[in-house]
Amino acid sequence: MGKENETSETPGGFKLAGFSSFVRSNPRSDRFKVNRFHHIEFWCTDATNTARRFSWGLGMPIVAKSDLSTGNATHASYLLRSGDLNFLFTAPYSPSIASMDNLSHTATASIPTFNHETSRGFSAKHGLAVRAIAIEVDDAELAFTTSVAHGAKPSASPVLLDNRAVVAEVHLYGDVVLRYVSYGNSESDDSDPGSWFLPKFEAVEAASSFPLDYGIRRLDHAVGNVPELAQAVNYVKEFTGFHEFAEFTAEDVGTSESGLNSVVLANNEETVLFPMNEPVFGTKRKSQIQTYLEHNEGAGLQHLALVSEDIFRTLREMRKRSAVGGFEFMPLPPPTYYKNLKSRAGDVLSDEQIKECEELGILVDRDDQGTLLQIFTKPVGDRYLQNFFDFIELYSLGLEFMYGFIGLDSFESIYHYLISLNKF
């Protein structure tokens, strides 16, 4: 940790060292074995059209489904997949459908933790938003019991699915849950989503999902906004054992206009990263994090950072579709931004790549770990400052790949982009 006289105190009394004074260490303190991000589940009111829009906009084909056609009379769920990235979109059916067949309204659900009343209340309160961040663990039951024993608020007790998978949930922040998924058998059939994803999911015929691929490969980090950082960080650290991976304070990135504090938590392998932000008060303008909390009606997931294997291809494909059902991006930086790029990253990026960065609006961040290429979408739904994507490609030094490149330049880029969106 940083020096005591250089720390910043959050509204909750939590001491932050800040980016320049923070010393990263990995005590390998996880309370249970965490492997990777498994999937992200969005709750919505129309899963069919929402899934198709994201599939088209992100280049992620719909690969699996659980709906009326598969015997699910509880909810419609459609799974998008690109590389190791899985997005699940879920919407409720009327509870009367199952009752007409004398079935419990949850009897046919493929997501055993799904609840009609909770789903409808969630969508009314938050709009299109992330309900669950799912991580794959060695033992979901052990992860759940250990988490609850260390203060986690239980959301759904462990459920065994078809003797193949176990699913359990605890509250993370706001109405977002942390979902644990584990498998009893390590063998899986890639053609059968019931084995590699969850039972009761069936493969979607190739003809019904266009074979899109824009090069997105995995989720790097999932960012949440909370009212009080100290409470949220201590809560998650206590039940997971995750360690602090990075810190940013209002002094690092703030201006007299607005500000925020942020802490990033990580698992032992630093493959699962949970940044969390809080608003800072007393500035000329309202913090963009406070604006988010008001429009989202509480804490929630703000954005997802997606890793591309070729960000230039990803951006070219996505920008083709921005005006025809895809996603829009942040405004292009001024030309002056790219004038010194060759001197900063000319040993990593070719002249052609530097030119493409300027044409596509890609930001470049560099530190002693490597170089990061980055760009943000505009919010993908109606709610202000909610649900946007951060696309990144990582050039590491001497490593085949790396996780969790969250440098000061990268964080400042997000911060200033949010200020530009914050009109309140």
Side-chain angles (χ1 to χ4, degrees):
M1 298 295 291
K3 299 176 182 178
E4 184 64 24
N5 62 359
E6 295 180 0
T7 60
S8 174
E9 187 168 331
T10 75
F14 188 56
K15 294 286 187 178
L16 296 177
F19 179 79
S20 59
S21 298
F22 178 77
V23 178
R24 183 182 298 175
S25 64
N26 185 348
R28 303 191 68 81
S29 52
D30 289 1
R31 298 193 183 279
F32 43 86
K33 183 67 169 64
V34 176
N35 298 322
R36 64 184 181 97
F37 283 114
H38 188 267
H39 68 273
I40 298 292
E41 184 179 27
F42 293 81
W43 272 3
C44 55
T45 57
D46 182 345
T48 299
N49 286 298
T50 306
R52 289 191 179 278
R53 192 233 173 159
F54 277 71
S55 175
W56 173 250
L58 296 173
M60 298 178 65
I62 301 172
V63 298
K65 64 181 179 178
S66 177
D67 58 12
L68 289 172
S69 71
T70 66
N72 185 346
T74 304
H75 59 82
S77 291
Y78 301 101
L79 179 69
L80 279 58
R81 188 187 197 193
S82 183
D84 293 326
L85 179 65
N86 296 301
F87 282 171
L88 185 65
F89 295 87
T90 296
Y93 290 130
S94 169
S96 64
I97 296 175
S99 65
M100 286 189 292
D101 293 326
N102 296 317
L103 295 171
S104 162
H105 68 276
T106 59
T108 63
S110 57
I111 304 296
T113 58
F114 183 83
N115 179 277
H116 275 99
E117 184 177 351
T118 303
S119 172
R120 289 174 169 176
F122 180 96
S123 294
K125 183 178 181 182
H126 306 297
L128 170 64
V130 169
R131 164 61 176 179
I133 302 172
I135 58 176
E136 183 180 328
V137 297
D138 273 3
D139 187 331
E141 184 170 3
L142 175 63
F144 176 84
T145 55
T146 301
S147 296
V148 172
H150 289 87
K153 301 171 185 176
S155 176
S157 297
V159 179
L160 177 64
L161 305 176
D162 199 27
N163 288 318
R164 283 187 285 176
V166 177
V167 173
E169 294 174 359
V170 296
H171 290 280
L172 187 59
Y173 41 67
D175 292 326
V176 179
V177 298
L178 181 60
R179 177 176 294 162
Y180 300 131
V181 179
S182 64
Y183 299 95
N185 188 343
S186 59
E187 296 181 3
S188 64
D189 177 0
D190 197 57
S191 65
D192 177 18
S195 67
W196 62 261
F197 186 64
L198 290 174
K200 294 186 180 181
F201 277 83
E202 298 182 8
V204 171
E205 294 181 6
S208 63
S209 179
F210 197 74
L212 301 166
D213 183 2
Y214 306 161
I216 301 170
R217 291 295 174 259
R218 65 175 175 85
L219 175 64
D220 188 78
H221 54 275
V223 183
N225 287 345
V226 299
E228 292 187 8
L229 192 59
Q231 184 180 58
V233 168
N234 290 334
Y235 168 70
V236 177
K237 281 180 66 177
E238 179 62 23
F239 78 77
T240 61
F242 284 11
H243 63 278
E244 291 188 30
F245 182 84
E247 289 184 4
F248 303 92
T249 67
E251 288 75 17
D252 291 321
V253 297
T255 67
S256 60
E257 296 292 317
S258 181
L260 60 85
N261 293 316
S262 183
V263 169
V264 183
L265 298 182
N267 67 325
N268 283 353
E269 280 66 41
E270 299 182 342
T271 55
V272 173
L273 302 176
F274 289 152
M276 288 179 277
N277 306 320
E278 73 171 356
V280 168
F281 299 92
T283 51
K284 291 181 181 178
R285 292 171 58 187
K286 185 187 299 181
S287 168
Q288 61 271 42
I289 306 304
Q290 182 61 27
T291 299
Y292 168 95
L293 295 172
E294 292 170 359
H295 284 257
N296 188 63
E297 298 188 37
L301 188 135
Q302 179 204 58
H303 78 269
L304 300 166
L306 311 181
V307 177
S308 169
E309 66 179 11
D310 182 351
I311 196 169
F312 302 108
R313 177 166 73 92
T314 299
L315 265 292
R316 285 193 298 268
E317 293 294 335
M318 290 188 66
R319 283 194 180 277
K320 288 178 187 177
R321 297 160 176 83
S322 290
V324 285
F327 300 117
E328 296 180 278
F329 289 88
M330 60 180 281
L332 297 176
T336 53
Y337 177 86
Y338 297 97
K339 283 186 176 180
N340 298 320
L341 187 53
K342 186 175 179 61
S343 62
R344 290 195 296 120
D347 58 331
V348 176
L349 302 176
S350 67
D351 289 346
E352 183 180 350
Q353 288 175 319
I354 291 174
K355 182 179 178 182
E356 278 198 283
C357 283
E358 183 170 4
E359 291 173 350
L360 296 170
I362 295 171
L363 306 175
V364 181
D365 181 16
R366 188 170 189 179
D367 69 7
D368 58 357
Q369 297 180 61
T371 301
L372 171 76
L373 306 186
Q374 178 181 45
I375 193 170
F376 315 109
T377 67
K378 293 181 179 180
V380 301
D382 297 326
R383 301 295 180 101
Y384 221 59
L385 301 176
Q386 181 199 54
N387 292 335
F388 64 91
F389 294 111
D390 173 9
F391 293 94
I392 59 179
E393 183 178 358
L394 307 165
Y395 291 82
S396 57
L397 299 179
L399 300 174
E400 182 179 351
F401 61 88
M402 79 179 165
Y403 289 82
F405 188 108
I406 305 178
L408 182 59
D409 286 349
S410 170
F411 193 82
E412 283 184 325
S413 297
I414 298 174
Y415 168 79
H416 289 293
Y417 175 53
L418 291 175
I419 285 181
S420 72
L421 292 177
N422 189 17
K423 307 300 182 183
F424 294 89

